[in-house]
Amino acid sequence: DTGVSQDPRHKITKRGQNVTFRCDPISEHNRLYWYRQTLGQGPEFLTYFQNEAQLEKSRLLSDRFSAERPKGSFSTLEIQRTEQGDSAMYLCASSLGQYNSPLHFGNGTRLTVT
Amino acid sequence: KQEVTQIPAALSVPEGENLVLNCSFTDSAIYNLQWFRQDPGKGLTSLLLIQSSQREQTSGRLNASLDKSSGRSTLYIAASQPGDSATYLCAVKGSNFGNEKLTFGTGTRLTIIP
């Protein structure tokens, strides 16, 4: 069990550019979640997958955001036409399929849009 | 809409003291409550998960309690150590079927003074 891995750790981009983040969950976990955290705030839910199916999306996930988990293993989160308000820590988490399974988080990708 | 509050926002205590962190939530229809710690610039580490049918959970020096009817949870840390310095977040999962979203508080930043 190597934990949840996220790449890159930091990303600096100019406004208007597209960025993509990757998350590798714990191998036996079939649920994968994306959260966003801004400074001084708790994480906010963005979306989650059960295997390869995206089952829930937050209203925070505008049309510029898209997430995929093509083979039910790793996931990508893409932000198109980035805006300064997208600057945040993007956290990925995974869990087993049981409803009371705790979430295990990665160390996040910190995005800075200049 | 579920709202989670953590007071105080910051707390400093001398090493060796016992302390209590507070979490309150507005909607008592929860499935579980989870406590996390977050070190600066890092992801979240799950500490304890309490199911809605439980009153408390213990792990080492940590004890979390849950009073669902009053919308409150506490995290008790015994014999605090400098390594306990971190931000502590609580999060609740709603009880409606298919809801996988965790709603987080903004955290309590704990500093243990050597």
Side-chain angles (χ1 to χ4, degrees):
Chain A
D1 177 1
T2 57
V4 178
S5 177
Q6 292 189 246
D7 184 69
R9 288 297 314 279
H10 304 275
K11 178 71 177 179
I12 300 174
T13 192
K14 293 185 177 180
R15 189 176 54 192
Q17 297 294 306
N18 299 342
V19 294
T20 300
F21 311 139
R22 178 180 170 121
C23 171
D24 288 273
I26 294 172
S27 58
E28 64 267 28
H29 287 184
N30 56 13
R31 287 189 175 163
L32 185 146
Y33 309 78
W34 285 99
Y35 282 78
R36 181 173 69 184
Q37 185 178 27
T38 53
L39 201 60
Q41 300 298 311
E44 295 175 294
F45 173 81
L46 293 178
T47 188
Y48 98 95
F49 293 83
Q50 170 91 20
N51 299 314
E52 67 274 11
Q54 187 174 19
L55 297 184
E56 190 174 351
K57 292 170 61 173
S58 163
R59 287 172 294 174
L60 293 174
L61 215 64
S62 75
D63 290 346
R64 297 185 298 106
F65 288 70
S66 64
E68 294 182 344
R69 194 182 183 198
K71 296 182 180 178
S73 56
F74 73 92
S75 175
T76 58
L77 178 67
E78 181 183 16
I79 309 174
Q80 296 182 327
R81 304 182 302 282
T82 52
E83 302 173 356
Q84 288 187 320
D86 297 331
S87 295
M89 175 80 88
Y90 289 84
L91 294 163
C92 177
S94 68
S95 75
L96 290 169
Q98 292 95 30
Y99 205 53
N100 272 314
S101 299
L103 265 64
H104 298 265
F105 281 82
N107 282 328
T109 294
R110 179 164 296 285
L111 174 66
T112 303
V113 182
T114 62
Chain B
K1 178 189 172 188
Q2 178 73 270
E3 292 183 3
V4 179
T5 303
Q6 294 184 248
I7 295 173
L11 180 66
S12 294
V13 300
E15 180 179 0
E17 285 199 2
N18 304 325
L19 61 102
V20 175
L21 305 179
N22 297 296
C23 171
S24 61
F25 46 95
T26 55
D27 184 352
S28 62
I30 66 168
Y31 202 85
N32 61 45
L33 183 146
Q34 202 165 348
W35 281 92
F36 297 87
R37 72 171 278 167
Q38 185 173 31
D39 294 288
K42 296 292 181 66
L44 283 69
T45 300
S46 177
L47 298 174
L48 290 164
L49 183 148
I50 310 178
Q51 299 178 37
S52 62
S53 58
Q54 297 175 324
R55 298 300 298 265
E56 64 180 284
Q57 280 285 343
T58 298
S59 175
R61 295 182 295 109
L62 305 180
N63 176 277
S65 69
L66 174 64
D67 184 342
K68 198 173 75 162
S69 61
S70 68
R72 294 175 189 270
S73 176
T74 60
L75 179 67
Y76 174 83
I77 302 177
S80 58
Q81 303 171 357
D84 295 331
S85 296
T87 295
Y88 290 80
L89 297 134
C90 68
V92 297
K93 178 186 281 189
S95 62
N96 43 319
F97 179 77
N99 177 18
E100 279 296 310
K101 167 186 166 183
L102 287 182
T103 302
F104 281 84
T106 54
T108 295
R109 189 174 68 253
L110 176 65
T111 303
I112 305 300
I113 305 164

